[in-house]
Amino acid sequence: MPTIPPRVTSPKKLEASRRKNATRSSSSTADEASEADQRPTIWESLTPTQLREVEALAGEYREFLTEAKTERAVGQKLLAMAQTAGLRDLTQKGPSPQGGYLTHHGKLLGFFAPGQSPPSQGFNLIVAHGDAPRLDLKPRCLYEDHELAFLKSNLYGGLKKFQWLARPLALWGFCVLKDGREINFRFGEEPGEPVLTITDILPHLDSKVQRDKKLTEAFPAERLNALAASRPTGPAKAKDRLKKAAANILWKSWGLKEDDLISSELELVPAGPAREVGLDGSLIGGYGQDDRLSVFVAFKALLGRGQQPAKPLLLIIFDREEIGSYGSTGAETNFVTRLAARALESSGLNPDWRTVTEALANSLALSADVEAGLDPTFKEVHDELNAARLGRGPCLVRYTGGAGKYGASEARAEYMAHIRRVFDDNGVIWQSTLLGKQEYGGGGTVALSLAFHGLSVVDCGAPVLSMHSPFEVTSKADVWMTLKAMRAFFLKA
Ligand code: MN
Ligand code: MN
């Protein structure tokens, strides 16, 4: 479907609105705060050239979402792009004028770009996460039941289980054989290729097993089994004919024996490409936008920085954020310290403990993660005064956490003022938001793990609808403006 461009305000009107805004800010009246909603959205402020940029960026972004549906695929893609751009491995000796990268276990990536000031004085750091809620396969996952073969899944992250039933799923695999050979495969992504699916019960018969139950009990995780085969193999009386049929396919397609699945990372993800959404095509729908939107724009801001920044830059793409940041590739590791030490070393400085820890304590950080957008269908969960609106740009979220700010890293006032200034001075349309109403739930980001180093950090990201679902929705305008915000932070903060 072709994209119908949204209405663009005429340059004359735009100029008038700019002048009006300029008078407002100089008169600095108390009415300003309440006028937040009356400011033009990003769409209304775009010039025709900018509108073309928005569309081009959205196309590139959709491709990224389609191509990078696992944390490992994100890592592979970014690493290849970094190498093409001339970044070098920071574990190798010698200076890195273009900057460098550090990877850990193929899933955790750090990037460094030198600035005019030495790294010992602190970095401008952006972090995001490359993992997303999904269904992994269990190490022993293949079984048959009543002449159908299935793959048993295991939840990863906070997903709503019913959203994963009765829809096309793809299987992304990374398998390591005992002899060390690595096998990467994707099944179910090509048009015309079969997909997998998890079945659901028909409404005619669901009253005892689903309808009369609480939502939290109606969909037991152990029922999330993907249908794998239905055509038996071998003589009619042989045992496990369906399981064998599925196992044969694993062997023929990828050279995998059933035991090899034990040393494999097999992830079920929604099949198919990211799409444009809406009659006007102004939105983007796709899996994993939490937090690959931030990954995409932050990486683009780093590679496309164009000039040597005043301060040295770091970008980290963490794994395992969706399950609490634990594990060797998560934010609860010493990776930040290691990356900072390597950056110092590649700048000819001695990465001793004091220099590294002081550099980090003097750093400024954005914890780039998406924010819950205000969904008018569920507006009672939002505090509307502090809710994120689509089309109004990246959100600065001073604190996350649950009720009573438990588990929150809160940005101090001085730092909020600094980032406000940086964004405003560089034409970033942004919004100040909070996750939702108090006592309705809560959530957190890796800001907490960063704050451990004593650096200044605030959460910043674009609003998302249907977050954690197989089809998350964002605004093209917000993607574009978030890139602008990340660029401003890297170059001007
Ligand atoms: Mn996230
Ligand atoms: Mn999330």
Side-chain angles (χ1 to χ4, degrees):
M1 196 189 70
T3 304
I4 303 165
R7 192 172 56 84
V8 183
T9 311
S10 77
K12 244 188 201 169
K13 269 192 197 161
L14 201 62
E15 188 46 46
S17 126
R18 268 201 206 108
R19 242 180 272 139
K20 204 170 145 202
N21 285 340
T23 336
R24 265 187 210 149
S25 52
S26 62
S27 66
S28 191
T29 66
D31 290 341
E32 270 180 20
S34 58
E35 285 175 10
D37 265 359
Q38 289 153 33
R39 285 182 306 205
T41 66
I42 300 170
W43 289 116
E44 288 149 338
S45 72
L46 291 174
T47 64
T49 313
Q50 287 173 330
L51 183 59
R52 278 193 294 276
E53 278 177 35
V54 167
E55 290 295 346
L57 184 72
E60 219 181 296
Y61 172 50
R62 277 189 288 122
E63 213 168 287
F64 178 74
L65 289 176
T66 304
E67 288 293 308
K69 288 196 192 172
T70 66
E71 72 289 1
R72 207 175 270 276
V74 168
Q76 284 164 349
K77 204 162 173 67
L78 296 193
L79 191 58
M81 286 159 78
Q83 285 165 341
T84 309
L87 272 71
R88 32 168 302 172
D89 186 344
L90 287 172
T91 61
Q92 309 294 314
K93 288 255 173 291
S96 315
Q98 290 306 310
Y101 59 83
L102 183 68
T103 65
H104 191 61
H105 293 175
K107 301 175 171 206
L108 170 54
L109 286 95
F111 302 94
F112 161 63
Q116 286 157 33
S117 63
S120 49
Q121 290 175 18
F123 302 91
N124 283 357
L125 160 69
I126 297 181
V127 302
H129 65 92
D131 64 322
R134 59 176 190 257
L135 296 173
D136 288 336
L137 294 190
K138 293 191 180 190
R140 291 232 177 260
C141 56
L142 188 56
Y143 73 98
E144 79 168 74
D145 196 355
H146 284 79
E147 303 190 318
L148 291 171
F150 293 92
L151 296 164
K152 265 183 117 45
S153 76
N154 202 111
L155 304 175
Y156 177 93
L159 51 81
K160 290 162 83 163
K161 289 170 272 183
F162 64 85
Q163 293 177 337
W164 292 71
L165 308 179
R167 58 167 300 136
L169 297 171
L171 181 64
W172 291 48
F174 173 74
C175 316
V176 185
L177 309 188
K178 270 207 290 190
D179 62 12
R181 267 182 302 146
E182 295 179 356
I183 293 159
N184 266 295
F185 72 87
R186 291 171 190 191
F187 177 83
E189 291 291 359
E190 295 305 315
E193 190 181 20
V195 294
L196 299 177
T197 194
I198 296 169
T199 56
D200 197 2
I201 191 68
L202 65 170
H204 318 63
L205 292 175
D206 74 352
S207 65
K208 288 272 192 296
V209 293
Q210 279 178 353
R211 205 182 323 161
D212 299 343
K213 293 192 169 180
K214 284 205 297 189
L215 186 60
T216 46
E217 291 158 9
F219 301 93
E222 294 299 333
R223 279 200 184 141
L224 300 185
N225 306 312
L227 203 47
S230 74
R231 190 168 65 206
T233 187
K237 291 220 170 127
K239 273 183 68 184
D240 296 340
R241 293 197 304 152
L242 270 303
K243 189 182 161 182
K244 276 179 194 147
N248 280 345
I249 295 164
L250 293 178
W251 175 249
K252 279 190 191 145
S253 306
W254 305 294
L256 296 171
K257 294 186 184 148
E258 201 186 335
D259 279 355
D260 295 328
L261 303 185
I262 294 168
S263 52
S264 296
E265 294 164 8
L266 300 161
E267 306 183 10
L268 285 170
V269 295
R275 306 287 297 264
E276 292 178 296
V277 173
L279 294 175
D280 59 358
S282 62
L283 304 158
I284 296 168
Y287 165 69
Q289 300 202 61
D290 172 8
D291 185 33
R292 292 172 193 145
L293 189 160
S294 312
V295 170
F296 174 76
V297 292
F299 189 68
K300 222 175 152 56
L302 183 86
L303 282 198
R305 61 194 180 276
Q307 49 178 281
Q308 192 182 32
K311 285 162 72 179
L313 312 179
L314 295 180
L315 168 65
I316 301 177
I317 310 301
F318 286 114
D319 179 30
R320 303 186 78 73
E321 193 275 344
E322 293 295 356
I323 52 161
S325 293
Y326 304 112
S328 69
T329 52
E332 286 292 311
T333 60
N334 65 358
F335 187 77
V336 183
T337 315
R338 284 178 54 210
L339 178 63
R342 290 289 184 183
L344 283 160
E345 210 173 27
S346 87
S347 311
L349 297 165
N350 185 11
D352 59 83
W353 182 83
R354 209 181 92 179
T355 313
V356 174
T357 50
E358 289 294 326
L360 284 176
N362 288 324
S363 294
L364 306 183
L366 287 187
S367 166
D369 208 341
V370 293
E371 170 71 319
L374 185 145
D375 186 336
T377 308
F378 300 98
K379 52 176 163 298
E380 68 271 28
V381 308
H382 299 281
D383 162 16
E384 288 188 38
L385 200 56
N386 290 285
R389 283 144 215 267
L390 261 67
R392 293 196 174 272
C395 310
L396 280 181
V397 190
R398 249 180 76 188
Y399 50 88
T400 57
K405 298 191 182 178
Y406 278 96
S409 146
E410 183 163 1
R412 68 209 155 91
E414 302 94 312
Y415 188 49
M416 287 304 291
H418 179 65
I419 298 297
R420 275 176 69 194
R421 200 158 49 233
V422 169
F423 283 0
D424 285 345
D425 290 354
N426 291 283
V428 175
I429 296 179
W430 61 279
Q431 41 186 337
S432 166
T433 71
L434 295 173
L435 178 62
K437 274 186 185 160
Q438 298 183 70
E439 299 172 329
Y440 270 64
T445 67
V446 297
L448 204 59
S449 320
L450 289 184
F452 166 83
H453 299 280
L455 45 69
S456 297
V457 58
V458 63
D459 283 300
C460 178
V464 174
L465 300 182
S466 298
M467 198 194 286
H468 281 204
S469 83
F471 197 68
E472 299 177 319
V473 174
T474 58
S475 159
K476 288 178 177 175
D478 290 333
V479 176
W480 182 78
M481 193 54 83
T482 308
L483 170 60
K484 199 166 167 175
M486 302 282 157
R487 210 173 264 156
F489 173 80
F490 268 156
L491 297 177
K492 309 285 183 184

